[in-house]
Amino acid sequence: MSGRKGKKVSVWISWSSMKKGIWGIALMALLLGIISYDMPTARTWNYWSLPLSGKVIAIDAGHGGPDGGAVSREGLIEKDINLAVSLYLRDYLQQAGAVVIMTREGDYDLAGSDTRSYAKRKTEDLKQRVRTIEDKRADLFISIHMNSMPSNRWSGAQVFYYPNHSGNEALARLVQEEIRTTLANTDRTAKTVNTVYLLQALRMPSILVEVGFLSHPQESVLLGDDLYQRKVATSIYRGILRYEAGEQAKDYSSPKR
């Protein structure tokens, strides 16, 4: 039985095809990196084992519409940064199974179109936010704001609460602890406040997070950075997870002002 000699086959791959392949692999790696960073809750959970499944959490992006809030020397407007951080936090909480209620998801307030006076719009806006949160029967409430002072020496994120609910202090302290750990640029501690209408009006565990000082030159640059905004949202998210898990925060010294 005679055999046949094997034929040598050559496969030519063009340089352009190789470049497309390399770019495709690089792009896929980049996308995977972004997804893994932007999904702090990504694990092998199923729906019923998600840590926040069944929880209704309200997020309030402070200010909006004609009320811009504080403005940095470089022109960063508080209402815009509040919304950016709030949207990142919304995504993280939803990935963990929570039903998220947003008081606003764009640049607007909640006052009626026929309300003209700025002061009346502000009052009506705040009352509408409370009504929205109560109507949705939220289990937790988080309000996001930026701080500002006449002096540019102050910096650092700080969590505030009003002591009208037994869970407020625990939630505030856990979120503050995560902010200290993740951002690593503040030694502030959670503090009570009695001048915030939303915190006084609501009866579920509620906190207000002053993410940083727009009046501080270096911190205002960070506050406008997308990656830093995600880190802030991740800090708040982790604090909420720890609160829902029944954890206790460490005992820190008096807040730095």
Side-chain angles (χ1 to χ4, degrees):
M1 185 173 175
S2 61
R4 294 184 179 178
K5 292 184 178 180
K7 294 184 178 180
K8 186 177 181 181
V9 179
S10 298
V11 179
W12 295 93
I13 302 176
S14 67
W15 173 240
S16 60
S17 297
M18 289 179 64
K19 286 198 296 184
K20 289 180 180 179
I22 293 170
W23 276 111
I25 294 170
L27 181 59
M28 181 61 69
L30 177 62
L31 288 173
L32 288 173
I34 293 173
I35 291 171
S36 64
Y37 179 86
D38 203 29
M39 295 179 65
T41 65
R43 296 183 186 175
T44 56
W45 295 316
N46 58 39
Y47 176 78
W48 300 110
S49 65
L50 290 171
L52 298 177
S53 179
K55 292 294 180 179
V56 179
I57 300 178
I59 302 175
D60 173 55
H63 305 282
D67 177 15
V71 181
S72 75
R73 185 173 298 178
E74 294 75 22
L76 288 174
I77 304 174
E78 179 183 355
K79 64 178 180 179
D80 298 332
I81 306 174
N82 292 344
L83 182 59
V85 173
S86 296
L87 292 175
Y88 285 131
L89 178 59
R90 176 201 64 186
D91 293 346
Y92 297 157
L93 292 172
Q94 286 178 338
Q95 290 165 14
V99 175
V100 179
I101 307 301
M102 300 286 292
T103 57
R104 69 180 181 96
E105 295 183 275
D107 184 13
Y108 52 83
D109 63 11
L110 275 64
S113 58
D114 57 342
T115 305
R116 302 299 179 188
S117 163
Y118 177 83
K120 289 182 178 179
R121 289 195 69 87
K122 184 65 177 177
T123 300
E124 185 178 334
D125 170 61
L126 290 173
K127 289 182 177 179
Q128 281 295 114
R129 293 183 194 226
V130 170
R131 188 173 297 115
T132 298
I133 295 160
E134 290 179 337
D135 287 348
K136 298 296 183 180
R137 300 181 181 276
D139 298 304
L140 291 177
F141 170 72
I142 314 293
S143 187
I144 306 297
H145 283 260
M146 303 293 134
N147 218 329
S148 183
M149 297 285 282
S151 170
N152 64 6
R153 62 177 290 193
W154 306 112
S155 65
Q158 190 162 26
V159 184
F160 294 89
Y161 66 97
Y162 184 70
N164 61 349
H165 189 283
S166 59
N168 289 356
E169 182 179 3
L171 176 60
R173 290 180 63 193
L174 286 166
V175 170
Q176 184 72 55
E177 187 173 292
E178 288 298 323
I179 285 173
R180 291 170 64 126
T181 300
T182 304
L183 303 185
N185 60 4
T186 182
D187 60 358
R188 292 176 177 273
T189 60
K191 185 179 180 181
T192 58
V193 65
N194 60 5
T195 57
V196 179
Y197 171 75
L198 290 176
L199 296 184
Q200 291 179 318
L202 295 171
R203 291 296 179 265
M204 73 286 297
S206 304
I207 60 172
L208 182 146
V209 183
E210 294 277 7
V211 173
F213 284 77
L214 286 171
S215 50
H216 188 275
Q218 288 74 40
E219 190 165 53
S220 65
V221 173
L222 287 174
L223 293 171
D225 179 73
D226 174 80
L227 182 59
Y228 191 78
Q229 293 166 2
R230 297 187 193 200
K231 288 175 69 176
V232 171
T234 299
S235 303
I236 300 170
Y237 160 75
R238 288 175 177 166
I240 293 171
L241 280 184
R242 292 180 62 194
Y243 173 80
E244 288 298 329
E247 292 189 30
Q248 297 294 318
K250 298 176 182 178
D251 185 18
Y252 291 105
S253 57
S254 299
K256 175 184 176 182
R257 293 305 301 174

